[in-house]
Each structure stands twice: as C-alpha cells, then as structure tokens.
Amino acid sequence: MLSRHEKDELHKIEQWFESTEPALVDALRTGRTGPLRRIPTALLVITDIVAFALLILAFTGTSAVLILLSLLVTSCAVCLHVARHAVP
C-alpha cells in the first residue's frame, strides 16, 4: 500500500503528464495508439536483392570486407522482414 506522501507525489506526476502530454495520457487511458507505418514492399525487395547479390559475390570472392558487408545486409533484411510481420 502506498503512503499518503507517495499518493500525493503520484497525483502530482499525473497532473504534470495531463498538462504537458495530453495525447500520451489519452493513449494510455484508452489503450489506443496512432496508426503504425508499414514497411514498404519495395524496400524489402531491394534489400533482399542486394543481400542476395552480396552473398553471391562474397562466396565467389575472398574479400573479408565483402563477406562482412553481405552478412550485415542480410541481417538487416531479416530484421526488416521480422519487423514487417510484427506490426499489426
């Protein structure tokens, strides 16, 4: 259980949020957030093509930088795909 002082402090914090961030207060009270932006399909396709091309170049070449770059771009492509499916 909270003490009287803690309750007063929480009430002050609530009042501060209500005066400075009304949109945040409304979103927290209703449970609704603003519209989420989807990741464009073109970005996913371009990232996949670049990742595939870099992987082919990395497997045929011997450059360590090219191998690391291909792994980095492939990781980014995977993250984009996961993020796209995570957004409702």
Side-chain angles (χ1 to χ4, degrees):
M1 196 67 169
L2 297 176
S3 69
R4 179 73 181 149
H5 175 70
E6 290 171 331
K7 288 180 184 178
D8 289 339
E9 290 299 314
L10 283 175
H11 184 67
K12 287 179 189 176
I13 292 170
E14 274 184 39
Q15 293 299 320
W16 179 79
F17 269 115
E18 288 174 355
S19 65
T20 59
E21 296 289 336
L24 175 63
V25 171
D26 183 51
L28 291 174
R29 284 191 178 143
T30 60
R32 290 179 290 159
T33 59
L36 298 172
R37 293 186 221 170
R38 303 236 351 141
I39 297 171
T41 304
L43 178 63
L44 292 172
V45 171
I46 291 170
T47 308
D48 290 343
I49 291 170
V50 170
F52 182 74
L54 284 173
L55 281 172
I56 296 298
L57 288 173
F59 287 140
T60 59
T62 57
S63 172
V65 174
L66 192 59
I67 293 170
L68 290 174
L69 182 63
S70 68
L71 291 174
L72 177 68
V73 172
T74 304
S75 299
C76 290
V78 168
C79 289
L80 283 173
H81 281 281
V82 169
R84 180 175 189 182
H85 293 291
V87 175

